[in-house]
Structure formats: C-alpha cells, structure tokens
Amino acid sequence: MFSGIGIAVTLVTVVSQNRVQRMQERLKSKTGDKARVLANETKVTIQDKIERIEKLTEEDFEGLVIMMKSLRLTLLAQSKDVYKCPRCRNDYSTKPKFCSSCGLAAT
C-alpha cells in the first residue's frame, strides 16, 4: 500500500513540475519582450534628461542616476548565459557537470 502511494505521489510531482516549467518558459517569453520595450523607453528618457542636464534639479539628477543604475542591472540580467538541460529543461546559471534533476551528464 505504501509503495502504491509513493508511486502516485511521484507521478503527480513529475507532472506538476513539467507544468510549472512550461508556465515559467511562457512567462519568460512574454515578459522578455516587455523588458526590452521598457529598457528602450528608459534609454530614451535618460537621453532626454541628459540633453537637459543643465536645467536638472538635484532631485532630478539623483533620479537620473538611479534610472541609469537600474537600466544597467536590467541589461546585465538579460545578457547572462543560461544553460538548459536537454532532457528536463532545468535552467542553470553556470554550466553544471550533471543535471541535478535527471542526472544527465552535460557535454
């Protein structure tokens, strides 16, 4: 009886994990385009403020510096390499020797 419950729980876990991964991939593809558009709008705003830098108040200047820092962080986060396991599609920020989910050796 316990082994049957264990098998059922394992199957439910695998199915739900696959669904969550698919949903994350869909969300990443949808938000990736929005992030690029937002980054482009931020670049234009920064350029406009730099052109009028002589007229900026101290608060506007501090806001400009914050916008530039956040834009830089956004662009750095987008440019990071992401490694995916070919079998289970898990994401890794560094190239692993083995997948922690399915055990496939990375080549």
Side-chain angles (χ1 to χ4, degrees):
M1 189 163 96
F2 288 117
S3 64
I5 292 172
I7 291 172
V9 168
T10 303
L11 290 175
V12 169
T13 304
V14 169
V15 170
S16 63
Q17 182 182 12
N18 287 337
R19 285 188 59 134
V20 167
Q21 286 178 351
R22 285 190 209 123
M23 293 296 283
Q24 286 176 343
E25 288 175 6
R26 288 182 196 158
L27 182 62
K28 283 181 185 178
S29 67
K30 288 181 182 178
T31 57
D33 295 336
K34 290 180 185 178
R36 277 187 240 116
V37 169
L38 182 62
N40 289 337
E41 289 176 4
T42 306
K43 285 180 186 178
V44 170
T45 304
I46 290 172
Q47 288 173 346
D48 290 342
K49 287 189 177 197
I50 289 175
E51 289 174 0
R52 299 180 288 115
I53 198 162
E54 302 88 20
K55 298 178 183 177
L56 291 179
T57 64
E58 191 66 29
E59 291 175 1
D60 291 338
F61 183 74
E62 294 297 325
L64 176 64
V65 171
I66 291 170
M67 285 175 62
M68 291 171 62
K69 286 181 180 179
S70 66
L71 176 64
R72 181 177 176 271
L73 291 175
T74 302
L75 294 175
L76 286 175
Q78 289 177 356
S79 67
K80 287 185 179 177
D81 292 332
V82 176
Y83 300 98
K84 286 188 176 279
C85 175
R87 183 185 297 163
C88 64
R89 310 298 295 163
N90 278 346
D91 293 336
Y92 296 97
S93 58
T94 59
K95 190 170 183 179
K97 293 183 179 180
F98 297 94
C99 178
S100 63
S101 179
C102 67
L104 182 69
T107 55

